[in-house]
Amino acid sequence: MKKTSTRLADGRELIYYDLRDDTVRTAADRRPLDRTVTTSEIRRDVLLGDSVAIASHRQGRTYHPPADECPLCPTRGERLSEIPDSSYDVVVFENRFPSLAGDSGRCEVVCFTSDHDASFADLTGEQARLVLDAWTDRTSELSHLPSVEQVFCFENRGEEIGVTLGHPHGQIYAYPFTTPRTALMLRSIAAHKEATGGENLFDAVLRRETADRRVVLEGEHWVAFVPYAAHWPYEVHLYPRHRVPDLLALDEAARTEFPQVYLELLRRFDRIFAAGDGGQGAADEPRTPYIAAWHQAPFGALEEFDGVTRDDFALHLELFTIRRTSGKLKFLAGSESGMNVFINDVPPERAAERLREVASS
């Protein structure tokens, strides 16, 4: 992997990650951009104990542009974009409309490929490995910023999820606090550790899940399963078999195997609602909308979590879709949005069975 850092016309950082070591990146951003001005502010909700980012400048962000005006495609002739070069392997750059900025953290965009019509599932193993290396490098770099406590790499795919740019891409949020979801996990780890005389909760969960019938696929170094208490109709958790706190701690064997396991998982997600799903699917069924979210240990202090260390946390990826069957979505209505109590219409055992069935489709 070759890494080349440069600056866009408004001062934002852009980084090329290339497969070839001899690739040269010298193209300049020719757009007449003023320096980016953001209004991001973090406000604390004293009743719930969580934080909200107020970012009014995002109202003007790019919204469903036509393909020939996509800002994530490479620059071609006089069609100027966020990426100055005419081609790229993987690119990461500071978001022009960030939810978090300055003392409130940082937001970055990760472009997985220059092919506008592709998806992550279409990448080769070599390309997927480069994305993994880019996620790892950005996690390392962002963790050293003084305002950052947690780094979150994720992908939203599909208009149903709320994606406003169709080009295959993900994002990285560097939060100035430990996120509420992670804090819940850390408290559960602490409680389980105390109740069992030191057992790690993630180890116990992985042991239980891999012994049950909700395993979707397995490799030597990774295992994917539908969790016992899945919140979403089709939800899969992907764990390295050897517990590590973050992407930085993955060994070479796990990095090498990751592309084949993850790409197969994404391809199965694309097949679960296709023709042949009990007669419900359609040949022209659009690709499955999903969220893929990496959970990593915070880099900030963990004193409030009763003896829990970073090494007690387990890196894992959570992949889920809001589609519950062909043509129907799972909406977060009163119980979910009002009280955070999820109601899942698809039994986790059936979801795992279906994901195993489509392996050879």
Side-chain angles (χ1 to χ4, degrees), residues 87-110:
S87 66
Y88 63 83
D89 292 332
V90 173
V91 165
V92 177
F93 61 87
E94 289 184 76
N95 197 323
R96 191 177 178 188
F97 303 98
S99 303
L100 309 167
D103 292 339
S104 297
R106 176 158 156 153
C107 293
E108 298 182 339
V109 177
V110 184

Side-chain angles (χ1 to χ4, degrees), residues 7 10 143 160 165 179 224 241 259 264:
R7 292 283 171 181
D10 55 8
S143 70
E160 300 95 326
L165 295 176
T179 60
R241 291 187 184 275
E264 172 61 20

Side-chain angles (χ1 to χ4, degrees), residues 266-339:
L266 292 180
R267 290 162 186 164
R268 292 191 192 190
F269 254 60
D270 274 342
R271 292 194 289 261
I272 52 177
F273 301 111
D277 180 12
Q280 300 176 26
D284 59 351
E285 185 78 35
R287 284 179 160 176
T288 303
Y290 66 70
I291 293 174
W294 280 109
H295 291 262
Q296 305 190 77
F299 291 95
L302 299 179
E303 286 84 356
E304 64 179 290
F305 300 107
D306 300 325
V308 172
T309 68
R310 293 192 77 251
D311 288 337
D312 289 320
F313 196 87
L315 167 76
H316 63 284
L317 182 140
E318 297 184 8
L319 174 69
F320 60 90
T321 179
I322 61 172
R323 189 176 290 167
R324 56 188 175 87
T325 190
S326 181
K328 297 179 181 179
L329 301 180
K330 164 64 180 176
F331 292 102
L332 299 190
S335 185
E336 292 89 354
S337 295
M339 283 295 166

Side-chain angles (χ1 to χ4, degrees), residues 16-322:
Y16 294 98
Y17 292 90
D18 287 296
L19 291 168
R20 291 174 56 97
D21 290 336
D22 59 352
T23 303
V24 177
R25 301 293 185 184
T26 58
D29 185 1
R30 294 181 280 134
R31 296 172 299 170
L33 299 179
D34 295 328
R35 293 194 69 85
T36 301
V37 177
T38 61
T39 57
S40 181
E41 174 189 0
I42 300 296
R43 295 188 181 181
R44 183 78 172 170
D45 185 324
V46 296
L47 288 179
L48 296 180
D50 59 12
S51 298
V52 177
I54 309 296
S56 60
H57 62 276
R58 286 176 51 80
Q59 286 281 38
R61 67 188 184 274
T62 308
Y63 187 80
H64 293 300
D68 61 357
E69 296 178 15
C70 174
L72 306 185
C73 287
T75 289
R76 299 279 170 80
E78 295 307 309
R79 192 183 99 174
L80 309 180
S81 75
E82 289 279 65
I83 295 91
D85 218 322
S86 60
S87 66
Y88 63 83
D89 292 332
V90 173
V91 165
V92 177
F93 61 87
E94 289 184 76
N95 197 323
R96 191 177 178 188
F97 303 98
S99 303
L100 309 167
D103 292 339
S104 297
R106 176 158 156 153
C107 293
E108 298 182 339
V109 177
V110 184
C111 297
F112 303 139
T113 172
S114 59
D115 184 352
H116 180 85
D117 297 318
S119 181
F120 201 118
D122 298 322
L123 300 182
T124 66
E126 186 180 36
Q127 289 173 308
R129 169 60 190 264
L130 185 61
V131 175
L132 175 63
D133 290 342
W135 283 329
T136 305
D137 181 71
R138 296 315 301 155
T139 296
S140 175
E141 293 291 328
L142 294 170
S143 70
H144 289 95
L145 296 180
S147 63
V148 172
E149 285 196 14
Q150 186 169 358
V151 179
F152 176 46
C153 306
F154 65 100
E155 179 192 2
N156 299 327
R157 189 182 80 168
E159 290 188 17
E160 300 95 326
I161 297 293
V163 174
T164 58
L165 295 176
H167 196 102
H169 72 288
Q171 299 181 67
I172 302 175
Y173 277 21
Y175 297 101
F177 51 79
T178 296
T179 60
R181 189 176 179 87
T182 302
L184 283 173
M185 293 184 197
L186 292 169
R187 293 189 186 101
S188 295
I189 293 169
H192 185 83
K193 199 172 186 178
E194 181 178 5
T196 61
E199 182 185 47
N200 182 273
L201 178 58
F202 279 111
D203 291 350
V205 167
L206 190 58
R207 185 170 57 250
R208 182 187 72 182
E209 297 286 11
T210 54
D212 216 315
R213 57 194 177 98
R214 291 180 305 277
V215 171
V216 174
L217 61 89
E218 299 182 82
E220 183 180 353
H221 304 283
W222 295 87
V223 59
F225 57 86
V226 177
Y228 172 75
H231 289 56
W232 298 94
Y234 288 90
E235 174 182 342
V236 176
H237 293 190
L238 178 62
Y239 276 68
R241 291 187 184 275
H242 173 65
R243 174 167 44 91
V244 294
D246 52 39
L247 290 166
L248 303 174
L250 285 175
D251 61 23
E252 183 57 30
R255 292 181 183 281
T256 299
E257 187 181 74
F258 171 77
Q260 69 184 75
V261 175
Y262 187 49
L263 290 173
E264 172 61 20
L265 190 57
L266 292 180
R267 290 162 186 164
R268 292 191 192 190
F269 254 60
D270 274 342
R271 292 194 289 261
I272 52 177
F273 301 111
D277 180 12
Q280 300 176 26
D284 59 351
E285 185 78 35
R287 284 179 160 176
T288 303
Y290 66 70
I291 293 174
W294 280 109
H295 291 262
Q296 305 190 77
F299 291 95
L302 299 179
E303 286 84 356
E304 64 179 290
F305 300 107
D306 300 325
V308 172
T309 68
R310 293 192 77 251
D311 288 337
D312 289 320
F313 196 87
L315 167 76
H316 63 284
L317 182 140
E318 297 184 8
L319 174 69
F320 60 90
T321 179
I322 61 172

